[in-house]
Amino acid sequence: MGTDMALVSMGPMLKRAQAAGYGIAAFNMIDYNSARAIIEGAAAMKAPIIVQVSVKTIRHWGYKPIATWVRMLAETVEVPVALHLDHCSDGDVIRRCIDAGWTSVMFDGSSLPFAENKARSEDIYRLTEAAGVGLEAEIGAIGGVEDDKFVAEDSAILADYDECLEFVKNMPNLAVFAPAIGTAHGFYKGQPKIAYALLEKITAAVAIPIALHGGTGLSQEQFDRCIAGGCAKVNISTMHKHRFIEGFVAVRQDKPKLEEPLPFIIGQYDAMKKDVTDMIVAFGSAGKAAHAAGEDAER
Ligand code: 13P
């Protein structure tokens, strides 16, 4: 694989991952140190990676700084890196991300009535197809908190199978589809009830890779079953945020008198990177960079 890789679109690599039965990690970045830990963690494991960004993170840093950091970091490694917008219901933010260089975006119309979600997702699909950018779209309700939206875990609504088929019908080139299958954002309070049979049924009927939201706190067995069932994109946010804070704080606890800031940033980086490499192993994508990039697909 050549050096200076530009950012890639996640659709083709997710298709290859789904066909080969591994999952590509999608981490929600927080700042430059976090983006670096995600991308360099993936490079250390020779794994494809998706750096995704929440709307509130973009509002904090701005479009251009984030796109510049991620593109610059991607150019220093030899693994495919996609820059993705996580849950977004605002068409203006989506347009601005596309203009700034994001290679994929998520339109989340899951709180809208089905017909409206479908119609608005299709509008955004036309936009992303014209721009050569991948699209993720969601139906059903994934539990927990995402940005400022809260869905109680027990009122999370599973996607309806027939609606899934109807929803994706006019979006054949959707990069990834996110039907709610019983997982939730945040740390799980109880055992998640994952609808494996529904997942397998959707995967059998729809030729689009599936996104697994709410990756934090799932067991190896749950990851394995979801990935085997068609989930090619596995989202981790809460654990990454936790490492960001705890990695920094641990240095203060260890060295209360330290006044030099860099060891804090390094401690934070190491904690985040370790979780990234652990998850890549858990999802089976270690060593898959060339495969995901389509460079050894024939072998
Ligand atoms: P967690 O915060 O549970 O890891 O979920 C992340 C996610 O699905 C982002 O969309």
Side-chain angles (χ1 to χ4, degrees), residues 95-253:
R95 271 180 213 94
R96 292 183 69 182
C97 282
I98 294 172
D99 290 345
W102 263 251
T103 53
S104 61
V105 295
M106 176 173 189
F107 173 70
D108 179 358
S110 60
S111 58
L112 301 170
F114 174 76
E116 208 180 324
N117 182 12
K118 177 170 149 67
R120 288 208 52 205
S121 297
E122 288 175 2
D123 283 346
I124 302 287
Y125 179 75
R126 281 186 281 276
L127 179 79
T128 53
E129 284 298 286
V133 157
L135 176 65
E136 173 173 354
E138 171 181 335
I139 62 172
I142 294 162
V145 182
E146 179 59 42
D147 272 347
D148 298 325
K149 193 179 96 183
F150 178 75
V151 179
E153 251 175 66
D154 50 10
S155 65
I157 304 160
L158 291 183
D160 176 85
Y161 173 73
D162 294 320
E163 284 186 356
C164 286
L165 304 193
E166 178 63 24
F167 185 72
V168 299
K169 200 170 71 184
N170 299 330
M171 300 188 284
N173 200 29
L174 202 60
V176 65
F177 177 40
I181 55 165
T183 57
H185 298 127
F187 290 112
Y188 288 95
K189 286 170 207 78
Q191 263 301 318
K193 292 190 204 70
I194 303 177
Y196 296 112
L198 173 65
L199 168 64
E200 286 159 16
K201 212 169 143 194
I202 296 169
T203 297
V206 165
I208 298 168
I210 307 295
L212 180 63
H213 282 255
T216 297
L218 297 182
S219 67
Q220 183 67 55
E221 192 208 337
Q222 288 164 330
F223 285 133
D224 288 347
R225 288 187 70 182
C226 288
I227 292 167
C231 290
K233 172 175 183 271
V234 186
N235 289 3
I236 305 280
S237 177
T238 301
M239 184 52 84
H240 189 68
K241 293 185 203 166
H242 187 78
R243 300 280 194 236
F244 181 94
I245 295 169
E246 297 306 319
F248 199 94
V249 168
V251 177
R252 167 56 83 227
Q253 281 162 349

